[in-house]
Amino acid sequence: MGRCPECGNWGSLVEERPTAGGGRGAGVRGPSASPVPVTEVEGPALARIPTGFPEVDRTLGGGVVPGSVVLIGGDPGIGKSTLLLQVAARLASQGRKVLYVSGEESTEQIRVRAERIDAMSPHLYLAAETLLEAIIEHGERMRPDLLILDSIQTTSAGALESPPGSISQVREVASRLLTLSKERAISTCLIGHVTKEGSFAGPKALEHIVDTVIYFEGEQQHAYRILRVTKNRFGSTHEIGIFEMTEAGLKEVDNPSRIFLAERSQGVTGSAVVVTMEGTRPLLVEIQALIAPTHASFPRRVVTGADLNRVAILLAVLEKRVGMPLSACDVFVNVAGGVRITEPAADLGIVAAVASSLRNAPLDPRMVCFGEVGLTGEIRAVRHAAPRLHEARQFGFARCILPETNEGKPREAGIEAIGLRTVDAMMHVLFP
Ligand code: TYD
Ligand code: MG
C-alpha cells in the first residue's frame, strides 16, 4: 500500500520482513520455566557501578546497573556523544572495560575528542561499526562492562532490508542488544537522536523495551544541559543532573541555583524568584514576565520554560480574583537560564512576576516564594517546604512567601516564612 489506511499519509509505510530468531519476539526470556512463588525467586545482585559522575549516578538512581539497557536521547549536537565518552573514560579509569561503538564518527575523530576531554585510557576500546552482527560479535568476544552504541539510528541488522533508522531496524537493534546485555551482564547505553516531535526518531516503540530512558536537554545557545530520566526500572524518575558544556567537555554543576540566578537584575519589574523542586533537589529560578497593552484583537500569550495552559489559568485567576485587567494585555513569561519548570509549586512565582510587571513595581529582591494556586485564588500546600526554605536561606534570601496551609509550618532560622492563604493576600505583601 502506498497510503496508510489509518492516518491517510502517503509513503509512510515501511516494509518489515520476519527474520529467523530476531525481531519482535526476541527478549529477555530464556527457555520457559514454571512459575515460582515470589518469595523463592532469587534476588539479583543489584550492585551498581558508580560512573564517577555524581550527577549521572544520582540521575540513574545510584550508578549503572550491570546488564541494564539505557536509552539516552537528545537533539543532535546537544552533547550525548561527549557525555558518554566521558562516562566511558571514568569507568575505564577505574579499570572497567568499556567498548564505545560509533557509527557516526571514525576512531580517529573520537580519539581527537577523547584527548580534548581527557578520556584517554587503555581500558576504553573504540570501534567504528554500523553492522549489528559485528557489534554483537565484538561484545561477545570482549565482554565489556559497558557497551555504548552511538547511535541506534546508524546501526543496522544485515538480515533486514529496511534502511538504518527505520522502525524495524531500530527495534531489531535494540532487542538484539538487549538479549546480549541480559545474557552476558553487559550494561548497554544506546544513543538515540530525537526527532522534532520530541520522540526517539521513529521508535517511541523503543521506550518499553529498555530499562531506563534518559533525555539530555538544553538550549544550544546556552551552556547548560539537563539530564532527565523519564523511565527507570531501577530507580526514581524525578531526578535530574545538571551539566555545563565547556571547552574540555561537560562539567557537573553542583550548585545550580547560583547559575540560574547569576544574571538576575535586581530592582526591576516583572522578575520573581521561585523555589522549585527537581527530584530531591530544590532549585532557585528566576521567572520573568512582561505585560504590555495589546494592539491586536487577540491578546498574545507567549511562554517559554513553563506550561502555557498553566500560565493561562493563573492569568484568569489574577483577572477574576484580584481584578487585574489582563485580558486587554499581551503577556510574555520566561523562565531564565533555559530551565523548564514542571511543578505547580512555581505558580506563585509566575503570579508574582506578572503582578509586578502589570503594576510596574519591582518586588523585594530578597524575597522568594513557592506554592500552588487554585482556581478560587487560594494558595495550596506543596511538598518539600522545608528543603525549599533551606535553599532560599542559603542563597541569602530574607523572606519567603509560602502556603499557610503547609503542614508542620516549616521554619528556618535566618529567613522569615510568610504563610498566606490567598493570592489576594499575597498582593498586599508584595506591594505594601
Ligand atoms: P556532541 O557530543 O557531538 O553532540 P551529540 O552527540 O549529542 O550530537 O557535542 C556537540 C557539541 O558540543 C559540539 O557542537 C561541540 C560541543 N563541544 C564543546 O563545546 N566542548 C567539548 O569539549 C566537546 C567535545 C564538544
Ligand atoms: Mg554524537
Side-chain angles (χ1 to χ4, degrees):
M1 276 188 278
R3 185 173 188 211
C4 172
E6 191 102 327
C7 65
N9 274 340
W10 289 95
S12 62
L13 296 188
V14 181
E15 182 179 10
E16 192 174 326
R17 295 196 178 180
T19 54
R24 295 189 106 162
V28 214
R29 274 166 291 275
S32 93
S34 26
V36 253
V38 64
T39 48
E40 281 164 37
V41 177
E42 259 181 63
L46 264 191
R48 292 166 188 268
I49 309 172
T51 60
F53 271 115
E55 292 288 297
V56 174
D57 291 344
R58 213 205 23 259
T59 313
L60 288 175
V64 181
V65 175
S68 65
V69 179
V70 178
L71 180 63
I72 168 164
D75 292 330
I78 206 72
K80 302 179 294 297
S81 305
T82 308
L83 178 68
L84 287 182
L85 195 61
Q86 286 182 268
V87 167
R90 294 270 177 112
L91 284 173
S93 69
Q94 298 167 28
R96 308 214 181 244
K97 225 194 288 181
V98 183
L99 173 58
Y100 187 105
V101 179
S102 178
E104 310 214 325
E105 290 158 297
S106 66
T107 49
E108 290 81 8
Q109 280 173 304
I110 301 171
R111 189 205 150 105
V112 171
R113 177 181 307 189
E115 279 174 342
R116 184 138 81 104
I117 64 180
D118 193 22
M120 301 297 284
S121 162
H123 298 292
L124 171 55
Y125 289 75
L126 304 180
E129 186 59 72
T130 55
L131 193 64
L132 176 64
E133 286 75 12
I135 295 169
I136 290 180
E137 206 187 308
H138 290 322
E140 288 281 3
R141 209 168 330 121
M142 250 190 77
R143 301 284 177 89
D145 295 295
L146 177 67
L147 185 150
I148 295 168
L149 181 66
D150 188 2
S151 67
I152 188 141
Q153 277 107 357
T154 53
T155 308
S156 55
L160 292 184
E161 282 172 17
S162 42
S166 62
I167 298 203
S168 42
Q169 281 289 7
V170 166
R171 202 194 283 144
E172 175 77 3
V173 170
S175 67
R176 300 260 304 267
L177 286 177
L178 184 81
T179 309
L180 174 75
S181 159
K182 300 295 171 196
E183 283 178 2
R184 306 292 182 216
I186 300 172
S187 307
T188 306
C189 264
L190 308 172
I191 296 181
H193 296 295
V194 168
T195 57
K196 279 196 217 72
E197 295 78 43
S199 63
F200 287 106
K204 198 69 176 160
L206 269 194
E207 296 198 353
H208 73 274
I209 303 183
V210 300
D211 298 310
T212 304
V213 179
I214 301 181
Y215 285 89
F216 203 35
E217 321 170 327
E219 304 281 332
Q220 297 273 3
Q221 303 86 332
H222 288 279
Y224 300 104
R225 303 280 182 270
I226 296 179
L227 202 56
R228 195 187 290 279
V229 186
T230 61
K231 163 180 174 176
N232 195 353
R233 285 192 182 141
F234 307 112
S236 134
T237 52
H238 299 296
E239 293 297 341
I240 62 164
I242 301 180
F243 294 85
E244 181 183 2
M245 182 62 95
T246 69
E247 285 296 295
L250 289 154
K251 257 182 39 199
E252 292 178 292
V253 173
D254 27 56
N255 203 342
S257 294
R258 169 157 29 228
I259 280 151
F260 294 128
L261 291 185
E263 289 169 76
R264 182 167 73 113
S265 32
Q266 306 190 354
V268 295
T269 64
S271 159
V273 179
V274 73
V275 202
T276 168
M277 292 295 289
E278 286 288 356
T280 53
R281 180 159 61 182
L283 196 62
L284 289 159
V285 290
E286 180 194 358
I287 296 179
Q288 302 177 331
L290 185 65
I291 315 295
T294 189
H295 296 295
S297 45
F298 274 110
R300 308 214 317 145
R301 270 89 181 95
V302 180
V303 177
T304 47
D307 181 38
L308 179 62
N309 290 327
R310 192 79 209 162
V311 173
I313 292 173
L314 296 173
L315 295 180
V317 168
L318 282 175
E319 174 121 26
K320 189 89 180 164
R321 308 285 173 195
V322 191
M324 294 189 172
L326 288 162
S327 54
C329 297
D330 290 338
V331 176
F332 305 90
V333 172
N334 176 35
V335 181
V339 210
R340 263 202 79 77
I341 46 174
T342 49
E343 57 150 14
D347 286 354
L348 277 192
I350 297 172
V351 165
V354 167
S356 161
S357 178
L358 185 80
R359 295 195 177 206
N360 221 6
L363 302 176
D364 175 359
R366 304 213 304 145
M367 178 153 73
V368 282
C369 58
F370 63 85
E372 181 179 346
V373 173
L375 292 187
T376 66
E378 84 276 22
I379 297 178
R380 307 176 68 99
V382 299
R383 302 200 300 160
H384 308 299
R388 291 182 210 256
L389 209 53
H390 182 71
E391 178 84 355
R393 194 197 61 85
Q394 286 215 312
F395 275 84
F397 287 95
R399 305 161 74 202
C400 179
I401 296 180
L402 47 84
E404 193 189 80
T405 48
N406 241 94
E407 259 181 64
K409 304 238 182 292
R411 290 284 171 271
E412 169 98 20
I415 183 166
E416 182 193 355
I418 309 168
L420 297 178
R421 275 183 185 280
T422 64
V423 172
D424 203 25
M426 179 178 167
M427 294 305 140
H428 296 292
V429 176
L430 294 181
F431 312 104

